[in-house]
């Protein structure tokens, strides 16, 4: 029995290793001082952004007669492309008609800045669609991102409710049969028209609501931050069309019978939007913030490559902060993440810390915040 | 039917979509009569096609087309997933599916979209060498990012006008994915007829007819001209791309 058993080590090319053991591949990369995507630890992906000419108000738009997109953005980060288009709807506000009567005149109410009452702020209704080569219902990820965007936009106080109120005009037809649209806040208004609008306005109130459709191509890592940033850019391009009712419709009343006994008179208005005139959506500029995500990973000393002699003295970091996670290996192996929405001055809108398996020290969190602020400053400078 | 979609955030129920008044429509009147002239100008080389492939990194193959005519402007992203294993029983050849989606504006009903998808599935069933890929599925996704036509009103823009682009886009995406095809297929449109050709214009692989007023030989002739142009552009792109990468 003199047979000897030989062990031959199996060698995999890097791509195969990354596939079968992402954790090991990531650790090996980290021990070399780079990441699998070849970025440095604290390096973010470059972001390119434009409005993509999708909106009816973008300067090169050539289908203004049919386009109902009010604001848009195309964001490219690495190979990932996020296309956001914002459309609008008009919703009738039935509860606040009493409140409106107290609010005489058209001067905008003093916005209640500083006090972050959620009810003062509106949000958008996002639907995220990630291209993944499958058909069917939205995935968990899509639903979670949509819900988070919806909640975070409201809680960060970017869109004041006041900004979405419809200041309704009236379309009148003069003696020559030429239609003209009169708005209550325009300067050259005849007082008679103003009164007419005033008396009419007190009965009804409308608000715009904004829908965001977010399409993602080439998903490559966590997406929430990219979607948020794209939505942020898109919101800043939104123009709200002026809305008006037709003169003839202002005193139209239709009886509505509800449950037999109570008969109410219901006025119906056909609210139309002006194809030419629009106003910029007035966002709470000070609350505009951008998102970034960092991951924290412990370096496993067992899988470190053998060090050279001259490197022996160097005290190696054993917990690494990795900015802007990308790729399957980083996404699956880095379980501790810090997701921050902030502006350049560090007024944080949302901070999500997930403990995961790594030791997240206060120093790490501090440097993550520092990175997030820098990133936010960089992203804010990209606005067109 | 009171089925609420609980997976998407739909917004307030009583919201109405923004409708723009048609004050401006007077200026657009008479555009339909100019339509044929516009097409002729386009044929004289005014229209341009920008191609890029491999844009969608997690698909097996993809293409991006930017089509710029003198009145219309379209962006189309096509991605091909496959050949990938399918579940279920053994199949001797690949199954092809085509999905069409509008990324931004939504203007066509799902019935119309389904018809187009079926048509494209039939075309590419004939073009892809299915017998080379047993037990697999090839899924093709068309994403129309933008399609605008300054000359036409919303109702007049038909899906047929982008059908040739879909065929070009799918062909390029299939090439990018390395899926075997019988030939580079392209298509031409004449009014509301679209004909897809292969084999140097001698074989018709798909014929979409929406009006039968035209003389069929005339239609074939007109579409073939566009086919040659489209194919030439695609081949030039692929050749230049390959020579760049060498």
């Amino acid at each position: 029995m003199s047979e000897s058993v030989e062990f031959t080590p199996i060698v995999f090319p890097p791509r195969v290793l990354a596939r079968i053991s992402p954790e090991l591949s990531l650790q090996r990369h980290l021990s070399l001082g780079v990441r699998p995507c070849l970025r440095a630890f604290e390096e973010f992906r470059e972001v390119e952004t434009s409005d993509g000419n999708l909106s009816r108000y973008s300067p090169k738009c050539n289908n203004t007669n049919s386009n109902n997109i009010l604001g848009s953005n195309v964001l490219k980060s690495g190979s990932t492309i996020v296309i956001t288009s914002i459309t609008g709807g008009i919703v009738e506000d039935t509860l606040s008609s009493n409140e409106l009567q107290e609010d005489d005149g058209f001067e905008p109410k003093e916005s209640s800045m500083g006090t972050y009452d959620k009810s003062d702020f509106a949000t958008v209704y996002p639907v995220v669609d990630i291209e993944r080569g499958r058909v069917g219902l939205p995935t968990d990820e899509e639903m979670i991102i949509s819900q988070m965007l919806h909640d975070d936009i409201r809680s960060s106080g970017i869109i004041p409710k006041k900004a979405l109120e419809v200041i309704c005009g009236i379309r009148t037809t003069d003696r020559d049969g030429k239609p003209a649209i009169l708005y209550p806040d325009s300067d050259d208004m005849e007082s008679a028209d103003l009164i007419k609008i005033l008396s009419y306005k007190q009965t009804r109130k409308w608000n715009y609501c904004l829908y965001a459709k977010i399409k993602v191509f080439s998903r490559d890592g966590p997406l929430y931050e990219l979607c948020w940033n794209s939505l942020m850019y898109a919101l800043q391009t939104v123009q709200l069309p002026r809305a008006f009712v037709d003169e003839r419709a202002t005193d139209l009343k239709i009886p509505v019978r509800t449950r037999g006994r109570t008969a109410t008179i219901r006025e119906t208005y056909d609210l139309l939007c002006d194809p030419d005139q629009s106003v910029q959506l007035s966002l709470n500029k000070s609350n505009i913030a951008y998102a970034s995500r960092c991951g924290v990973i412990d370096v496993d000393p067992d899988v470190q490559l053998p060090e050279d002699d001259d490197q022996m003295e160097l005290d190696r970091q054993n917990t690494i902060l990795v900015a802007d996670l990308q790729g399957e290996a980083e996404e699956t192996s880095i379980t501790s993440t810090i997701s921050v929405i902030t502006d350049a001055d560090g007024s944080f809108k949302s901070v999500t810390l997930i403990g995961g398996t790594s030791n997240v020290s206060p120093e790490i969190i501090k440097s993550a915040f520092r990175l997030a602020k820098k990133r936010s400053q960089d992203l804010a400078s990209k606005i067109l | 039917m009171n089925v609420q979609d609980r997976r998407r955030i739909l917004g307030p129920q009583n919201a109405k979509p923004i409708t723009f008044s048609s004050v401006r429509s007077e200026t657009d009147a008479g555009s339909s009569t100019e339509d044929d002239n516009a097409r002729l100008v386009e044929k004289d080389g005014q229209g341009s096609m920008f191609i890029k492939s491999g844009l969608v990194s997690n698909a097996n193959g993809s293409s991006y087309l930017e089509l710029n005519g003198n009145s219309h402007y379209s962006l189309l992203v096509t991605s091909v997933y496959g050949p990938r294993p399918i579940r279920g029983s053994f199949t001797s050849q690949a199954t092809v599916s085509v999905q069409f989606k509008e990324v931004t504006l939504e203007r066509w009903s799902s019935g119309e979209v389904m018809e187009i998808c079926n048509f494209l599935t039939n075309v590419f069933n004939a073009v892809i060498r299915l017998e080379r890929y047993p037990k697999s599925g090839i899924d093709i996704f068309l994403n129309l990012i933008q399609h605008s036509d300054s000359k036409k009103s919303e109702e007049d823009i038909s899906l047929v006008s982008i059908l040739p682009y879909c065929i070009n886009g799918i062909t390029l995406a299939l090439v990018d994915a390395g899926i075997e095809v019988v030939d580079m297929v392209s298509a031409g449109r004449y009014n509301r007829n679209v004909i897809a050709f292969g084999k140097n214009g001698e074989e018709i692989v798909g014929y979409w007819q929406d009006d039968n007023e035209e003389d069929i030989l005339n239609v074939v002739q007109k579409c073939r001209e566009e086919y040659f142009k489209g194919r030439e552009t695609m081949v030039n792109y692929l050749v230049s791309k390959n020579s760049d990468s060498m």
Side-chain angles (χ1 to χ4, degrees):
Chain A
M1 297 291 281
S2 58
E3 275 180 64
S4 61
V5 182
E6 253 184 70
F7 289 100
T8 45
I10 314 172
V11 180
F12 295 109
R15 281 185 62 175
V16 178
L17 185 68
R19 191 80 202 164
I20 58 179
S21 178
E23 173 83 53
L24 178 65
S25 163
L26 177 67
Q27 289 287 357
R28 281 281 156 83
H29 274 96
L30 294 179
S31 70
L32 288 171
V34 287
R35 295 159 60 180
C37 52
L38 302 181
R39 279 188 282 143
F41 295 149
E42 300 193 351
E43 185 183 343
F44 284 89
R45 276 174 288 180
E46 172 70 15
V47 164
E48 291 167 55
T49 175
S50 84
D51 79 335
N53 269 334
L54 299 173
S55 156
R56 62 182 281 124
Y57 301 111
S58 48
K60 282 187 196 158
C61 179
N62 60 2
N63 60 336
T64 41
N65 50 348
S66 60
N67 195 343
N68 62 1
I69 296 171
L70 308 177
S72 63
N73 173 261
V74 179
L75 182 144
K76 192 164 185 285
S77 169
S79 61
T80 310
I81 301 161
V82 183
I83 300 171
T84 304
S85 53
I86 294 183
T87 51
I90 289 178
V91 59
E92 199 179 313
D93 198 351
T94 45
L95 294 171
S96 54
S97 52
N98 297 332
E99 183 192 308
L100 190 83
Q101 274 160 5
E102 295 157 22
D103 181 23
D104 53 335
F106 293 104
E107 297 90 54
K109 237 196 287 181
E110 269 182 43
S111 64
S112 48
M113 300 236 294
T115 59
Y116 281 124
D117 186 3
K118 266 191 180 182
S119 60
D120 289 342
F121 297 103
T123 183
V124 292
Y125 302 100
V127 173
V128 179
D129 183 6
I130 301 165
E131 157 104 5
R132 61 192 195 283
R134 298 255 184 267
V135 284
L137 292 164
T139 57
D140 288 354
E141 187 188 22
E142 288 164 340
M143 287 190 278
I144 291 167
I145 293 176
S146 305
Q147 188 67 48
M148 280 172 73
L149 288 172
H150 174 267
D151 296 350
D152 285 352
I153 292 274
R154 192 192 293 283
S155 60
S156 58
I158 287 161
I159 312 170
K161 273 209 169 138
K162 196 82 192 160
L164 291 179
E165 277 173 18
V166 177
I167 300 170
C168 192
I170 291 187
R171 179 166 64 185
T172 55
T173 314
D174 62 12
R175 286 192 197 106
D176 310 326
K178 217 176 137 193
I181 304 167
L182 305 167
Y183 292 106
D185 55 347
S186 67
D187 302 327
D188 51 338
M189 278 291 295
E190 289 170 28
S191 54
D193 291 321
L194 188 71
I195 291 160
K196 197 160 76 179
I197 290 172
L198 265 173
S199 60
Y200 149 70
K201 202 205 168 205
Q202 281 175 354
T203 57
R204 281 291 162 92
K205 193 181 165 192
W206 291 274
N207 285 312
Y208 296 102
C209 60
L210 298 174
Y211 305 98
K213 204 170 164 188
I214 301 171
K215 177 87 187 177
V216 182
F217 291 104
S218 307
R219 183 193 186 281
D220 188 22
L223 286 173
Y224 175 70
E225 288 70 26
L226 294 178
C227 292
W228 170 275
N229 292 337
S230 179
L231 185 57
M232 237 354 73
Y233 289 126
L235 277 175
Q236 291 175 67
T237 66
V238 169
Q239 301 261 344
L240 296 171
R242 304 299 311 254
F244 61 87
V245 287
D246 207 85
E247 187 178 36
R248 284 167 295 175
T250 52
D251 47 4
L252 193 70
K253 288 179 180 170
I254 293 175
V256 177
R257 196 170 293 273
T258 49
R259 298 255 172 89
R261 276 204 313 168
T262 49
T264 52
I265 304 288
R266 189 184 170 82
E267 294 137 291
T268 59
Y269 302 113
D270 207 9
L271 210 61
L272 287 170
C273 289
D274 197 317
D276 299 312
Q277 285 202 51
S278 66
V279 281
Q280 177 87 31
L281 171 67
S282 60
L283 296 170
N284 221 339
K285 284 272 189 310
S286 58
N287 282 341
I288 290 171
Y290 297 93
S292 57
R293 177 187 292 246
C294 294
V296 182
I297 186 162
D298 291 330
V299 174
D300 188 349
D302 296 342
V303 295
Q304 292 293 301
L305 294 173
E307 291 175 45
D308 297 337
D309 289 340
D310 53 335
Q311 283 184 320
M312 287 297 270
E313 288 81 42
L314 279 171
D315 191 24
R316 286 248 177 179
Q317 258 182 301
N318 43 18
T319 306
I320 296 176
L321 184 70
V322 178
D324 200 8
L325 302 185
Q326 181 192 357
E328 205 189 332
E330 290 185 2
E331 200 184 353
T332 52
S333 318
I334 301 181
T335 49
S336 312
T337 56
I338 305 168
S339 174
V340 182
I341 301 177
T342 180
D343 65 6
D345 304 322
S347 99
F348 295 100
K349 301 299 168 214
S350 157
V351 175
T352 311
L353 277 167
I354 298 170
T357 49
S358 304
N359 179 22
V360 184
S361 64
E363 285 71 40
I364 293 272
I365 297 176
K366 265 186 209 162
S367 51
F369 285 0
R370 178 181 50 80
L371 281 178
K373 279 191 256 180
K374 266 196 174 169
R375 174 68 161 174
S376 182
Q377 191 172 12
D378 177 50
L379 290 171
S381 70
K382 289 184 196 291
I383 194 80
L384 300 167
Chain B
M1 282 280 278
N2 192 20
V3 182
Q4 202 194 344
D5 188 348
R6 291 180 190 280
R7 287 170 187 260
R8 298 178 183 88
I9 302 170
L10 297 175
Q13 279 195 332
N14 54 341
K16 288 175 189 158
I18 283 180
T19 43
F20 289 94
S21 75
S22 50
V23 173
R24 224 192 256 165
S25 61
E26 292 137 30
T27 54
D28 295 329
S31 63
S32 53
T33 51
E34 290 169 24
D35 184 36
D36 279 1
N37 297 339
R39 266 185 47 80
L40 288 175
V41 180
E42 263 167 50
K43 233 181 243 164
D44 291 338
Q46 296 266 319
S48 69
M49 177 154 80
F50 173 81
I51 309 172
K52 190 167 169 62
S53 54
L55 207 64
V56 182
S57 62
N58 47 7
N60 293 69
S62 64
S63 73
Y64 168 76
L65 292 185
E66 223 175 275
L67 300 129
N68 208 343
N70 57 351
S71 69
H72 65 88
Y73 183 71
S74 314
L75 305 177
L76 181 76
V77 173
T78 315
S79 46
V80 171
Y81 293 82
R84 55 186 179 186
I86 51 164
R87 286 188 184 182
S89 54
F90 177 83
T91 51
S92 62
Q93 57 177 32
T95 39
V96 177
S97 77
V98 179
Q99 307 288 336
F100 179 89
K101 218 171 194 179
E102 291 164 85
V103 175
T104 50
L105 282 175
E106 290 189 11
R107 45 164 92 85
W108 294 301
S109 70
S110 55
E112 269 181 283
V113 169
M114 180 107 81
E115 246 182 290
I116 290 285
C117 289
N118 285 339
F119 173 74
L120 289 170
T121 310
N122 285 335
V123 169
F124 284 93
N125 266 329
V127 171
I128 300 170
R129 296 189 60 187
L130 299 172
E131 68 284 355
R132 303 281 296 174
Y133 307 102
K135 304 190 280 184
S136 359
I138 296 169
D139 300 305
I140 299 165
F141 291 82
L142 291 157
N143 293 283
L144 185 69
I145 296 172
Q146 189 179 24
H147 178 67
S148 57
D149 199 324
S150 54
K151 286 247 163 63
K152 288 181 183 170
S153 67
E154 189 71 353
E155 294 76 45
D156 292 341
I157 296 178
S158 70
L159 256 171
V160 178
S161 57
I162 56 151
L163 198 48
Y165 310 150
C166 292
I167 290 171
N168 290 344
I170 295 174
T171 304
L172 284 163
L174 287 171
V175 170
D176 188 43
I179 292 172
E180 285 190 36
V181 287
V182 173
D183 190 21
M184 290 285 290
V185 184
S186 181
R189 176 174 68 96
Y190 185 71
N191 288 347
R192 296 174 71 81
N193 302 295
V194 173
I195 304 181
F197 294 92
K199 307 233 166 109
N200 210 18
E202 283 166 16
E203 197 176 286
I204 291 176
V205 287
Y207 182 17
W208 177 278
Q209 191 187 42
D210 252 5
D211 52 9
N212 48 8
E213 288 155 29
E214 301 288 338
D215 174 32
I216 184 159
L217 289 174
N218 186 31
V219 173
V220 170
Q221 189 53 41
K222 292 272 166 51
C223 291
R224 189 179 279 141
E225 284 169 27
E226 272 187 46
Y227 155 73
F228 282 124
K229 262 177 64 183
R231 191 188 63 164
E232 194 193 339
T233 318
M234 292 196 293
V235 169
N236 282 345
Y237 166 76
L238 291 172
V239 169
S240 68
K241 190 187 158 208
N242 283 343
S243 59
D244 284 350
S245 62
M246 268 178 206

